[in-house]
Amino acid sequence: MFNLVLFGPPGSGKGTQSENIVKTYDLRHISTGDLLRDEVSRNTALGVEAKKYMNQGMLVPDEVVIGMISSKIDGSADARGFVFDGFPRTRTQAEALDKLLEFKNTEIHLVLSLEVPENDLIARLVNRGVTSGRSDDTEEVITARIKEYHLKTEPVARYYNEHGKLERIAGHLPVAETFKTLAKNINKYLLPVT
Ligand code: B4P
């Protein structure tokens, strides 16, 4: 089993690159953003709670997200491995993920951090907001999300760096260029299936 964390600030391309990675390497995609948006669209109790945080650009509480991830991992026993997209976003989530994987006799093998200048992040997300209708893609909420990232999520990069698992990737280039660099790093662990 090979487990990858795709890390980076909002709009750095985690979702975009995850799609390419899961297809190329036949891995299971776990995106906490997608899972939360699905709960919101179905108006579940979890979704109603999560929406309050997401619409303000804040992180959803750790216990909600960790519970959601845990059941997703349990339901994918036959997977070749996982791409964690947008998770972990706090040190508490990172420690919880390590425990969940240890329980399954596996671990996080690699963390690829997409590095993109802040101006590009804002431009990308404002642009997406025009077409996606995502309520968290307004300039005010985007600024709050980036602030939350610096405060709570950046320490996760330090955590994985301390464990020797972090690789920083230039994420400001076009999607295909960025993917080539990501693939070069993944190929050291796993061969493509396509
Ligand atoms: P997420 O859904 O994870 O989304 P994101 O950080 O906004 O975006 P991502 O980095 O995936 O960017 P994308 O590829 O889409 O989070 C949304 C919210 O959910 C959070 O704010 C939080 O409230 C909540 N949440 C999620 N996970 C949580 C957790 N673990 N704990 C607590 N709360 C959590 O790309 C963005 C745009 O850029 C797209 O339009 C794309 O087309 C474009 N783009 C991508 N790559 C590009 C490139 N190379 N060049 C030009 N444009 C590019």
Side-chain angles (χ1 to χ4, degrees):
M1 200 176 219
F2 170 75
N3 301 308
L4 170 74
V5 171
L6 206 52
F7 185 82
S12 55
K14 302 182 294 289
T16 306
Q17 296 296 343
S18 290
E19 280 181 32
N20 292 331
I21 294 171
V22 295
K23 268 191 227 138
T24 307
Y25 296 93
D26 187 25
L27 297 170
R28 208 62 61 90
H29 184 199
I30 298 191
S31 156
T32 40
D34 287 351
L35 292 172
L36 289 167
R37 278 185 290 278
D38 179 56
E39 298 280 346
V40 171
S41 72
R42 289 188 291 115
N43 220 12
T44 62
L46 194 157
V48 171
E49 180 66 10
K51 192 177 175 180
K52 293 185 214 156
Y53 295 92
M54 294 169 82
N55 280 351
Q56 292 179 65
M58 288 165 66
L59 293 182
V60 174
D62 286 337
E63 57 276 18
V64 174
V65 181
I66 292 165
M68 219 171 56
I69 283 281
S70 168
S71 57
K72 206 69 193 165
I73 294 175
D74 284 344
S76 306
D78 57 335
R80 193 179 187 219
F82 293 100
V83 176
F84 294 99
D85 158 12
F87 178 87
R89 260 178 157 98
T90 64
R91 198 177 163 115
T92 304
Q93 291 181 16
E95 287 167 352
L97 180 60
D98 280 350
K99 287 211 183 87
L100 284 171
L101 293 177
E102 197 184 324
F103 199 62
K104 305 231 162 282
N105 287 320
T106 184
E107 60 176 328
I108 291 298
H109 297 91
L110 180 64
V111 179
L112 296 175
S113 172
L114 290 165
E115 316 269 314
V116 180
E118 207 147 296
N119 286 346
D120 289 9
L121 298 175
I122 296 169
R124 284 181 188 182
L125 293 172
V126 167
N127 189 35
R128 181 174 66 185
V130 173
T131 51
S132 71
R134 257 177 71 164
S135 52
D136 60 346
D137 276 346
T138 64
E139 200 152 348
E140 191 192 348
V141 179
I142 292 164
T143 307
R145 287 161 65 191
I146 292 177
K147 200 169 156 204
E148 189 86 329
Y149 170 79
H150 288 308
L151 192 69
K152 297 182 183 163
T153 306
E154 260 177 355
V156 175
R158 285 198 286 281
Y159 175 80
Y160 285 120
N161 199 25
E162 281 160 21
H163 289 78
K165 295 183 174 175
L166 187 81
E167 289 292 338
R168 297 185 191 275
I169 307 291
H172 65 287
L173 300 171
V175 173
E177 296 285 310
T178 304
F179 179 67
K180 270 190 205 158
T181 320
L182 293 168
K184 215 183 266 177
N185 280 275
I186 299 170
N187 288 346
K188 293 176 192 162
Y189 296 80
L190 193 67
L191 291 177
V193 292
T194 55

